[in-house]
Amino acid sequence: MKSFADLKANARSALLGRYSVLIGAGILAWLISTLIEIPFSRMLQEGIYYTRIIRIIWAYTGMLFVSLIGSLFNIGITYMHMQSARDTRPQFSDLLYPFRNRPDKFIGCEFILVLISFVCTLPGTAVTVIAALQSDTITSIRISSPLIIGLILLAIGLIVQIILGFAFSQAVYLLIDHPDYRVMEALRESFHLMRGRKMRYFLLQLSFIGWGLLGCLTLGIGFLWIIPYMLQTNTQFYLNLKELG
């Protein structure tokens, strides 16, 4: 496989002359999602304050809808990065790619990934919460055996969640690249491509820690450039996987 330095060099080359449209698309997607979420957030606050269950249910339903819209926008940005990686200048209209091309498949893929995360952490979370609720004092919470077991299960679940997240990390790229793929087919292909390469992908993400610190030092402004750089490097990683088969 290509070295991290080569992947990042390819990413910088692909971003030349395309930073503005990618940054603009990211800001636009964030603004739309935030504006749509505001009324549901207020509804949730009012529902909790006045103890109105129906309002709370509607608020959570609306926020779930907003999260789906946000995930589709993220996939649109991924599509734009794939265009850039293949030396095609992306357009703002590409942000709507998943809305126009079988959005049900992309939503289905996101739903399965969320479900996997939920299943991985459910046992540990359930045991931990039950143990905490049964404890009367802070001291008993610390020495409770069920609580310790719950925390261990939660830690194991999080590790499994991360591993599976890496294994299925290429599914969205595959759905974009192969419109004829079904969701499960893309997930299986991603699992195959990432076999023996999950640690490398993990280390690639860790290699951006310095950039993340720099983004924090600039009060978040630097992330306007750092995030596209990271996303494009991940896209280059996918293209390298495809070359190797």
Side-chain angles (χ1 to χ4, degrees):
M1 294 192 70
K2 293 181 180 178
S3 66
F4 292 168
D6 288 339
L7 292 176
K8 292 180 178 181
N10 290 344
R12 290 192 295 270
S13 177
L15 290 171
L16 285 176
R18 301 182 178 102
Y19 252 119
S20 58
V21 66
L22 290 169
I23 291 174
I27 293 174
L28 180 62
W30 176 78
L31 283 175
I32 293 174
S33 298
T34 300
L35 290 175
I36 297 175
E37 185 182 8
I38 288 174
F40 296 112
S41 297
R42 290 181 176 176
M43 187 183 298
L44 179 62
Q45 292 173 358
E46 292 175 2
I48 293 174
Y49 184 78
Y50 294 107
T51 320
R52 296 177 179 174
I53 303 301
I54 299 299
R55 186 174 286 268
I56 293 174
I57 293 173
W58 274 111
Y60 275 117
T61 302
M63 293 176 77
L64 175 61
F65 170 75
V66 172
S67 67
L68 291 176
I69 295 297
S71 67
L72 288 176
F73 277 133
N74 289 335
I75 292 168
I77 291 173
T78 299
Y79 175 76
M80 296 174 72
H81 276 281
M82 291 184 69
Q83 293 289 91
S84 299
R86 287 168 172 156
D87 204 25
T88 300
R89 184 173 182 81
Q91 306 295 324
F92 270 108
S93 59
D94 292 331
L95 189 62
L96 301 177
Y97 172 83
F99 294 89
R100 299 191 301 252
N101 296 272
R102 294 295 304 275
D104 57 304
K105 291 205 299 185
F106 294 110
I107 290 174
C109 183
E110 293 294 322
F111 176 78
I112 290 175
L113 294 176
V114 170
L115 183 61
I116 290 172
S117 298
F118 176 75
V119 171
C120 288
T121 57
L122 178 60
T125 302
V127 174
T128 301
V129 171
I130 292 172
L133 291 174
Q134 290 178 341
S135 301
D136 297 326
T137 65
I138 296 177
T139 304
S140 63
I141 289 177
R142 289 178 179 173
I143 63 175
S144 170
S145 296
L147 181 62
I148 294 174
I149 294 173
L151 292 174
I152 292 174
L153 288 174
L154 185 58
I156 294 172
L158 288 172
I159 293 172
V160 173
Q161 176 188 350
I162 291 171
I163 293 172
L164 291 178
F166 289 157
F168 299 129
S169 61
Q170 311 303 306
V172 168
Y173 294 106
L174 289 163
L175 285 175
I176 293 173
D177 242 357
H178 304 277
D180 57 318
Y181 271 19
R182 296 178 181 177
V183 173
M184 295 307 298
E185 189 176 0
L187 291 171
R188 283 195 299 268
E189 179 68 14
S190 175
F191 191 88
H192 170 73
L193 288 174
M194 291 297 290
R195 187 172 298 163
R197 293 157 178 162
K198 290 184 281 293
M199 179 56 72
R200 183 171 180 79
Y201 185 76
F202 174 62
L203 293 175
L204 178 61
Q205 309 313 306
L206 287 183
S207 70
F208 286 100
I209 287 180
W211 287 104
L213 293 175
L214 179 61
C216 293
L217 290 175
T218 59
L219 302 179
I221 297 176
F223 284 111
L224 292 175
W225 287 267
I226 295 169
I227 291 176
Y229 182 34
M230 293 175 62
L231 293 176
Q232 182 56 225
T233 303
N234 288 337
T235 303
Q236 296 293 332
F237 181 88
Y238 162 75
L239 294 177
N240 189 204
L241 286 179
K242 290 289 289 183
E243 289 174 1
L244 298 173

